[in-house]
Amino acid sequence: MSQSLTREELQTVMAEADLLKSREEVEAALDRMAGEITAQLSDTMPVVYAIMNGGLVMAGQLLTRLNFPLEQGYLHATRYRGEFTGQTDLQWQAPPSIPMDGRTVLILDDIFDEGHTLAEVVKSCFAQGAKEVLTAVLVNKVHNRKNPDLAVDFVGCDVEDRYVFGYGMDYRSFWRNADGIYAVKGL
């Protein structure tokens, strides 16, 4: 928990935030994504992984909309910069919980910002024997800094290039539980 923030400061952030996507808009995006995912994966019995922590809320909302057999697991991976500029490593805080050898894998995450961590997770899934790896994100942040090695397969909605939170995305570890997608005032 970030000790430098008070409850009042966090309440102010929420009160001043711009609502980018209402709960109804997010629910509609999840319904649409579920239809697209079902059309493509319903015959594959995939392993579906949510990337913690951000993908937790989206996974909880999306999985109940997928009416076909699947296995659900979780993973928690972080990416950090090494000593040299541009060097990245994927560090598993919780490795994938279900073997994926020869399986179709669907990775769920909250946001596609630059995509470096998600790209590394996809590579790792293939290295662990996945036959096919697809990705789904609730939010695609629109800008030109995307990892060129990754194209997301299923996107809920696009948002402008701002500091966003809600539906799993956080503001300094808080407000993942906000029931809309918000942008911090001025950011």
Side-chain angles (χ1 to χ4, degrees), residues 1-2 4-5 10 13-14 17 20 51-58 76-78 109-113 138-139 141 159 162-185 187:
M1 180 170 86
S2 177
S4 63
L5 294 171
L10 290 165
V13 166
M14 176 56 88
L20 302 181
I51 297 179
M52 298 295 142
N53 286 319
L56 177 65
V57 173
M58 179 226 189
H76 190 169
T78 60
D109 205 1
D110 55 353
I111 189 167
F112 180 37
D113 190 350
L138 180 58
V139 170
K141 194 182 281 189
V159 297
R162 295 182 63 193
Y163 190 148
V164 295
F165 65 92
Y167 267 91
M169 297 166 284
D170 71 292
Y171 172 74
R172 296 176 62 186
S173 298
F174 292 90
W175 289 122
R176 288 184 191 275
N177 56 311
D179 69 348
I181 298 173
Y182 295 84
V184 176
K185 180 181 178 180
L187 298 179

Side-chain angles (χ1 to χ4, degrees), residues 24-178:
E24 294 76 21
E25 290 173 299
V26 174
E27 295 293 320
L30 288 164
D31 286 341
R32 181 184 43 73
M33 287 177 68
E36 293 170 0
I37 291 167
T38 298
Q40 190 163 343
L41 297 181
S42 64
D43 294 333
T44 67
M45 293 180 31
V47 178
V48 181
Y49 287 105
I51 297 179
M52 298 295 142
N53 286 319
L56 177 65
V57 173
M58 179 226 189
Q61 297 286 323
L62 182 65
L63 286 173
T64 59
R65 291 170 161 89
L66 302 178
N67 295 314
F68 57 87
L70 59 83
E71 285 188 274
Q72 184 264 321
Y74 66 91
L75 54 86
H76 190 169
T78 60
R79 185 183 60 86
Y80 64 91
R81 297 255 175 222
E83 294 178 21
F84 304 105
T85 304
Q87 182 181 12
T88 61
D89 291 312
L90 190 67
Q91 188 173 56
W92 293 102
Q93 294 183 349
S97 58
I98 299 170
M100 56 184 89
D101 192 41
R103 305 281 303 271
T104 294
V105 174
L106 175 63
I107 304 295
L108 307 178
D109 205 1
D110 55 353
I111 189 167
F112 180 37
D113 190 350
E114 293 182 8
H116 299 297
T117 300
L118 189 55
E120 289 299 316
V121 168
V122 168
K123 274 194 234 177
S124 179
C125 291
F126 279 120
Q128 293 177 55
K131 172 178 71 174
E132 174 183 35
V133 181
L134 300 167
T135 54
V137 298
L138 180 58
V139 170
N140 173 49
K141 194 182 281 189
V142 178
H143 57 65
N144 61 1
R145 300 181 312 275
K146 303 285 187 197
N147 181 332
D149 297 329
L150 180 68
V152 174
D153 300 290
F154 307 101
V155 174
C157 54
D158 291 334
V159 297
E160 57 194 88
D161 188 14
R162 295 182 63 193
Y163 190 148
V164 295
F165 65 92
Y167 267 91
M169 297 166 284
D170 71 292
Y171 172 74
R172 296 176 62 186
S173 298
F174 292 90
W175 289 122
R176 288 184 191 275
N177 56 311

